[in-house]
Amino acid sequence: MATVIDGDRTLPPGYPHTHASEEARRIAEQGLVLRAQVGSGVHGTSIGGQDDRDEMGICLEPPAFVTGLARVPAGTDSDRTVPFEQYERHTAWDRTGGTANRSGAGDLDVIVYSARKWARLALDGNPTVLLLLFVPDAEVVFRDAAGAELVDHADRFVSAQAAHRFLGYLRSQQAAMTGQVGAHTNRPELVALHGYDTKYAMHALRLGVQGIELLTTGRITLPVPEPDRTYLRSVRHGEVPLDEVLSRLADAEHQLSTLTSTTTVPAEPDRAWVDGWLHRSHLAYWDRLAT
């Protein structure tokens, strides 16, 4: 059983960005049910002193945003409004250059999705959002009873549909790592040094490893188990030739493609259970707001 972790709800202050208004921040903080690290640190593939910290969370919305037409400002300096779907904040934006800055060592990138948006993505097999259900307690920032219930029922979200999503993400990372037409890399220094973007390569291979595990066992082990973790780190360090990386990716792609039709996980996620969780969790939250 997942434990309740009464950690920090605090999010970085609002910013002139579409999903970073102060009202969106308040909604995310007050309705938070789960927040955890989801980046290289939780995978075990980070390089000391070089990585930012990536966090993801889930929040419940006030009634006006679910049963009505309430909207939030599109950032802290905009007269435009948008539906509330997430609060997204990168502390790298606080430096000169703003949103053009690339996150680096010591920066925090955090996104808190509305529970309804997160659930839609998770039910669709999105690898990034599914990861949140498998983060070990040591990397969880906050988790209340509703968040713990989600973690305890992670299997309700796992389905064969994830195979196509993992394949898509793997191929996207591979295209970016080699600079294929229509793709881009924001790390030209890695390409110049190693002949390919080693960080994209590491993430592409990680997606292969984790997608195969999810579709074989129904779960994702974090951090990535050995010997894969050490191999992924060696790829990120640029110690593996591009030809070998491409061969490994081709093998992972073949296994994932095979699992689209041979996996033993359910063909469809348990949408009825997820609807029930969303319904009762929102009602319980609204009761608390009213008292």
Side-chain angles (χ1 to χ4, degrees):
M1 298 287 289
T3 57
V4 170
I5 297 175
D6 189 18
D8 188 10
R9 294 174 177 262
T10 308
L11 294 165
Y15 190 85
H17 177 274
T18 302
H19 299 297
S21 69
E22 277 295 312
E23 185 172 355
R25 180 188 61 79
R26 286 192 293 271
I27 292 170
E29 283 187 356
Q30 294 171 2
L32 196 66
V33 299
L34 180 59
R35 176 180 171 185
Q37 181 177 191
V38 293
S40 296
V42 79
H43 297 296
T45 57
S46 62
I47 297 176
Q50 295 186 25
D51 287 300
D52 58 0
R53 178 181 172 89
D54 293 304
E55 293 183 0
M56 182 182 294
I58 305 169
C59 71
L60 300 168
E61 301 164 80
F65 291 85
V66 179
T67 64
L69 299 175
R71 295 162 67 92
V72 296
T76 56
D77 64 349
S78 176
D79 294 329
R80 188 168 57 91
T81 62
V82 294
F84 175 78
E85 291 190 321
Q86 65 213 50
Y87 181 73
E88 181 176 354
R89 188 66 161 85
H90 298 218
T91 57
W93 296 345
D94 295 325
R95 297 193 294 273
T96 301
T99 56
N101 291 327
R102 192 171 81 189
S103 295
D107 289 324
L108 171 66
D109 294 352
V110 59
I111 184 165
V112 178
Y113 289 108
S114 73
R116 292 182 299 150
K117 180 173 182 177
W118 179 88
R120 289 195 300 270
L121 293 170
L123 289 170
D124 197 39
N126 182 293
T128 306
V129 302
L130 280 173
L131 191 75
L132 192 56
L133 297 172
F134 304 103
V135 175
D137 286 359
E139 302 293 348
V140 174
V141 177
F142 178 90
R143 186 168 64 207
D144 71 1
E149 186 181 8
L150 273 184
V151 172
D152 286 337
H153 290 272
D155 59 300
R156 308 280 189 170
F157 293 87
V158 178
S159 75
Q161 295 182 35
H164 299 286
R165 300 296 173 263
F166 274 87
L167 270 171
Y169 273 59
L170 183 154
R171 289 165 177 161
S172 175
Q173 296 284 320
Q174 180 176 346
M177 88 178 208
T178 55
Q180 294 178 23
V181 175
H184 72 280
T185 176
N186 61 358
R187 289 177 286 270
E189 70 280 5
L190 295 181
V191 178
L193 184 61
H194 303 295
Y196 65 100
D197 188 318
T198 57
K199 191 169 183 180
Y200 274 133
M202 181 271 292
H203 282 306
L205 287 165
R206 172 186 60 77
L207 284 160
V209 169
Q210 292 177 335
I212 291 166
E213 181 187 12
L214 181 70
L215 291 157
T216 303
T217 69
R219 297 194 62 81
I220 294 174
T221 303
L222 294 170
V224 175
E226 295 290 8
D228 290 315
R229 190 192 322 165
T230 295
Y231 187 79
L232 291 175
R233 289 175 61 85
S234 68
V235 169
R236 184 164 180 191
H237 279 291
E239 298 167 355
V240 181
L242 176 58
D243 286 349
E244 182 179 331
V245 171
L246 292 173
S247 177
R248 287 270 191 142
L249 283 171
D251 181 61
E253 188 172 353
H254 173 72
Q255 291 187 63
L256 282 171
S257 296
T258 301
L259 283 165
T260 60
S261 58
T262 63
T263 180
T264 57
V265 301
E268 297 285 339
D270 191 344
R271 298 178 188 277
W273 185 89
V274 176
D275 277 349
W277 179 87
L278 286 168
H279 181 72
R280 63 178 175 273
S281 297
H282 275 100
L283 288 180
Y285 176 52
W286 298 343
D287 282 344
R288 293 195 300 273
L289 289 177
T291 59

